[in-house]
Amino acid sequence: MYHTILSGAKIEFYIIYQENFEKDIKGLFGLKRIQNAYISYKLIEQCCVEDYLSVESGKHPDWNVQEQGMDWPLDIKNEHAEILKIAP
């Protein structure tokens, strides 16, 4: 993504909002009504990744090296190390 930004390309970010809901949750002694139950963000992320892969023939975006099991490019590693040096 860093190289994409440097090239001047437009990058857009989107948010998927999942509203809280009412749900009976199992406890030790039966069901308990929860007013503000929610879906884990990891579950939403997993659904999004599966949707993306289904339309991209199972291929992650080029910039997503972590999901591809690859390592960061050296210039990104160096820049990251510099940022960590100045971080509080």
Side-chain angles (χ1 to χ4, degrees), residues 19-44:
E19 293 187 24
N20 290 352
F21 49 89
E22 203 171 291
K23 180 68 179 166
D24 288 331
I25 304 294
K26 292 181 183 178
L28 292 176
F29 307 111
L31 295 175
K32 182 175 182 177
R33 175 63 69 173
I34 301 297
Q35 299 298 318
N36 287 310
Y38 58 90
I39 295 175
S40 164
Y41 72 91
K42 292 300 274 180
L43 181 57
I44 297 170

Side-chain angles (χ1 to χ4, degrees), residues 3 62-78 80:
H3 294 291
D62 292 339
W63 54 262
N64 194 337
V65 295
Q66 182 177 352
E67 292 294 334
Q68 295 180 55
M70 298 167 49
D71 201 4
W72 288 356
L74 185 58
D75 58 328
I76 302 297
K77 283 183 173 183
N78 291 337
H80 183 251

